[in-house]
Amino acid sequence: MNQRRREVFDLPDWWRQAVVYQIYPRSFADANADGIGDLAGITSRVDYLRDLGIDAVWLSPFYPSALADGGYDVDDYRNVDPKIGTLDEFDEMVAALHAAHIKVVVDIVPNHSSNRHKWFRAALNSPKGSNERSRYIFRDGKGENGELPPNEWQSNFGGGAWQRITEPDGSPGQWYLHLFAKEQPDFNWDHPDVHEDFLETLRFWSDRGVDGFRVDVAHGLKKNLDPAFDALADVLGGRELFVDGQHPVWDRDEVHEIYKEWRDVFNEYEPPRTAVAEAWVAPHRQARYASPEGLGQTFNFDLLQADFRADEFHEIISRNLTAAEAIGGSTTWVLSNHDVVRHATRYGLPGGQESKGAPGAGRPPAPAMTESCGFSTAGIPHTSIMPRVPDALARRRCFFSGCPARPTCIRARNWVCRRWARFPTRTDRIRPSSATGMSRSAVMAAAFRCRGAAGAGRSDSATTALTCRSRTGSATTPSRFRMKTPPQP
């Protein structure tokens, strides 16, 4: 195993053969026992990671953040959140991983910043039409006094995609676009400052030894805000209304000009830095993101949508290998990540569509919380608890082509990891009456809150149970989350 890892590590195109392990730093390992995972914790677990036989780790965002979106609301792209470490500790972690022949991939979030980013604060303190404001997407409102949003576009997380600001003089002002949370204003990628700043960020982390980048919402960035599109209320959907590459906000052809600039930066290094696109696009559009002239690879999410059946896996693998060969690229297979139910749980979900050969088929799976802190919950449909979700939870609409019906997620703020609890949406898998024995009205009134003590990572066999109980006192079976924790030294 060690010999194979060394061989992969030394290859210039190591990513073609690598097994990559995702780490959510704030929950993986806590070195200073403050209840939050940290970079020193990752460094302390390098032997554990090496023994897993992986070739690379992918770090979810570790940047300064208010965690409105689990760290994907970035305050500063060239720093470490002081709650989880320092730049020196980052360097020590990279050196330790490299000594174990493990590559390092970090998340980069180019579609939006946080609303605490220095640029956005400058935009709020600058007048309409200023250079500071033009780095983001601001528009005047409609109505007599601009009190209505520029259009009725909805965000991925629910609610309108526009947020009104207060001008420096205290008067109600313009509106800014946020395709995700209101704390995540979208960058204006027509502004040269945005291009230059991200090139600087790529060099900053590459100079510190980072081997590659996972590009969040890679199919976003470029947008066409022609007022003619204002009538398109469901801007997040409606892809069938547009020819390829011409949707107002998703998968526009000109986004690849950005990635050509990035490729020039990657090729300044030896070996060249690599990247992988998170691009939820149609299969025939994936190849451009995986082009050697661009990012070089894109996540292939087809297996996220497949049942555990040999014929489905064979068809998906054969089709995608053929497509990759045609462009000289490679295919990056994804079984799970922080946005979806883990595959061990997903394959075992009860219902008519999973394969008879799936692990756990025919048995309700034990909801699992794994090391990078993905959640799955059995028993309660997602629509059932949204009307009375407690203050500690926040509503989030997810835009995933791999998740039927755009599932609603619930953000658990009460524990150290702050990841997402996902409630299944497939009506052929879970229904209110059959899943819970409750009437629909009773289910609609049910809201859950979770409680649990921090202290993850105490032994290899340890589990931490977070018990959820009905807020209304309904006779509902408690759900339990189980967390597998890495060993302590």
Side-chain angles (χ1 to χ4, degrees), residues 422-457:
R422 164 81 30 79
F423 290 80
T425 61
R426 293 282 289 270
T427 57
D428 60 340
R429 294 193 171 184
I430 291 184
R431 294 183 173 87
S433 58
S434 62
T436 67
M438 302 166 61
S439 67
R440 184 164 187 81
S441 60
V443 171
M444 290 297 290
F448 284 79
R449 61 190 176 199
C450 296
R451 59 188 178 181

Side-chain angles (χ1 to χ4, degrees), residues 311-324 333:
D311 56 344
E312 287 198 42
F313 272 52
H314 185 276
E315 188 278 328
I316 288 170
I317 292 170
S318 298
R319 168 166 46 83
N320 283 286
L321 287 178
T322 299
W333 309 110

Side-chain angles (χ1 to χ4, degrees), residues 84-345:
I84 66 172
T86 65
L87 285 171
D88 287 342
E89 288 175 325
F90 181 89
D91 295 341
E92 292 169 7
M93 177 196 67
V94 172
L97 288 165
H98 283 174
H101 299 98
I102 297 173
K103 298 284 189 177
V104 179
V105 176
V106 301
D107 244 309
I108 190 168
V109 188
N111 182 72
H112 46 259
S113 73
S114 81
N115 60 351
R116 306 196 313 174
H117 191 283
K118 64 180 182 180
W119 277 5
F120 192 73
R121 295 199 309 268
L124 296 182
N125 292 322
S126 300
K128 173 182 172 180
S130 64
N131 182 64
E132 289 81 2
R133 197 165 286 192
S134 62
R135 293 168 176 154
Y136 293 89
I137 299 174
F138 282 86
R139 281 177 59 173
D140 293 331
K142 295 183 177 179
E144 183 176 353
N145 298 302
E147 69 276 9
L148 300 177
N151 55 44
E152 296 301 317
W153 288 3
Q154 298 295 295
S155 82
N156 283 284
F157 293 175
W162 296 92
Q163 183 73 17
R164 198 175 194 185
I165 69 167
T166 299
E167 297 291 350
D169 64 2
S171 63
Q174 288 189 296
W175 299 69
Y176 67 86
L177 179 70
H178 60 92
L179 290 183
F180 293 86
K182 63 182 176 61
E183 296 89 352
Q184 295 170 294
D186 282 41
F187 282 118
N188 173 18
W189 273 91
D190 291 334
H191 197 296
D193 287 358
V194 179
H195 287 252
E196 291 303 317
D197 196 67
F198 272 91
L199 296 180
E200 183 178 349
T201 295
L202 295 174
R203 291 189 177 100
F204 178 87
W205 294 113
S206 295
D207 289 346
R208 302 191 92 93
V210 164
D211 302 288
F213 300 87
R214 178 263 188 187
V215 184
D216 187 63
V217 197
H219 59 302
L221 283 64
K222 295 292 286 188
K223 300 171 178 69
N224 182 351
L225 297 189
D226 190 315
F229 298 130
D230 286 355
L232 186 66
D234 185 18
V235 70
L236 302 181
R239 299 194 189 197
E240 69 281 357
L241 301 177
F242 298 90
V243 299
D244 284 348
Q246 297 302 310
H247 188 278
V249 299
W250 296 138
D251 190 29
R252 294 187 60 79
D253 285 339
E254 55 265 37
V255 76
H256 298 288
E257 297 302 314
I258 297 172
Y259 300 138
K260 287 180 180 177
E261 295 177 352
W262 290 20
R263 172 51 55 188
D264 290 340
V265 171
F266 298 154
N267 289 344
E268 293 172 2
Y269 295 85
E270 185 59 43
R273 299 311 188 236
T274 187
V276 58
E278 182 214 24
W280 293 92
V281 299
H284 70 280
R285 297 285 294 175
Q286 292 176 354
R288 296 194 67 185
Y289 293 91
S291 165
E293 288 73 43
L295 295 178
Q297 49 184 337
T298 183
F299 283 140
N300 186 308
F301 296 120
D302 291 357
L303 292 180
L304 292 180
Q305 305 171 74
D307 291 331
F308 197 73
R309 296 172 53 92
D311 56 344
E312 287 198 42
F313 272 52
H314 185 276
E315 188 278 328
I316 288 170
I317 292 170
S318 298
R319 168 166 46 83
N320 283 286
L321 287 178
T322 299
E325 184 179 11
I327 62 164
S330 64
T331 297
T332 303
W333 309 110
V334 180
L335 294 178
S336 298
N337 63 26
H338 60 282
D339 283 326
V340 298
V341 174
R342 297 305 166 124
H343 51 286
T345 300

